[in-house]
Amino acid sequence: GLGTAPECLFDFKKLAANNKLCRQIKIKTIFLVDKIENAVFQIVWLESSEYLGERESMTKTENNKAWLYLMPAAVMLGAIGFAPLMAMVNYSVQDSFAGDQYFWAGAQWYQEMFRSPAFWGALGRTVLFTLMSLSIQYALGLFVARKLYHRQKKGGLFICLFALPLLTPWIVVGFVWRHAMDNNAGLIGVVGAWLGYAPDLNSVYWVWATLIVMDVWHWTSLTVILCYAGYLSIPSPYFQAARIDAAKEWAIFRYIE
């Protein structure tokens, strides 16, 4: 009762095609339902957030007592910072002999400073060092913070480890790196000498490289902590909406992060 062989083969092919079409329709239906659910969730979340924000703004009362509590600390910090600044300005327009005799010099020191090639050279080197070190610190810190946020595996532990260089005093940082670059006992110096690149702190290039690496090692952890805190403040529905819309990594980084 199944008919001839070609007819049976045609029926099986037709049945297989129908099953494949049903599976495709089912997959597309599930994807569409999931997309609709996420869209509804985002709308409800945004509306509830706006409602709660309006409700808080309507019920919140202005309280300026916090400024009174901050006033003593602000006055103390202002006095501590303002007094040395004024003393420095006062000394900059005077000349002294024997430490206790001052004579008015006016803008003489400023004129000599701005005419000095040594001053402009030092200023240029300072600006160059700042640009190079900050560029590396910002790029590296943002990269590490982004990886920690998206991986979400032991982020707090890594943040604590990255904060260790930041807790090290500056004098200790210089002492540690000075001995690390020693060709006889320092780790970096011994390894560099073994590879044929012994550090020479009498060379301008080695000194620049050492100072930049030392500054990056010390301050990149601050950039990581600040960027990671910024990532934690981004609402997760933004990333969910981006994944639903199949947004690229660069678009997510540019418009959300």
Side-chain angles (χ1 to χ4, degrees), residues 105-215:
Q108 177 183 353
W109 300 122
Y110 291 99
Q111 293 175 359
E112 293 184 5
M113 180 182 67
F114 287 120
R115 293 172 182 171
S116 172
F119 166 75
W120 292 108
L123 180 62
R125 289 188 293 270
T126 303
V127 172
L128 180 60
F129 173 81
T130 303
L131 292 177
M132 293 177 64
S133 58
L134 288 181
S135 300
I136 299 173
Q137 292 170 24
Y138 183 76
L140 185 60
L142 183 59
F143 174 79
V144 173
R146 189 172 187 271
K147 289 296 182 181
L148 289 177
Y149 177 77
H150 288 291
R151 295 285 179 86
Q152 293 184 352
K153 293 181 180 180
K154 299 181 180 180
L157 176 61
F158 283 106
I159 289 296
C160 294
L161 294 177
F162 276 111
L164 291 179
L166 188 63
L167 301 177
T168 308
W170 252 117
I171 187 172
V172 178
V173 173
F175 181 80
V176 169
W177 277 87
R178 176 65 182 84
H179 282 270
M181 299 295 291
D182 191 352
N183 296 329
N184 298 321
L187 177 62
I188 300 177
V190 171
V191 173
W194 180 69
L195 295 175
Y197 297 96
D200 182 14
L201 295 183
N202 293 320
S203 172
V204 176
Y205 301 104
W206 272 105
V207 171
W208 266 81
T210 304
L211 289 176
I212 291 175
V213 172
M214 182 176 65
D215 193 74

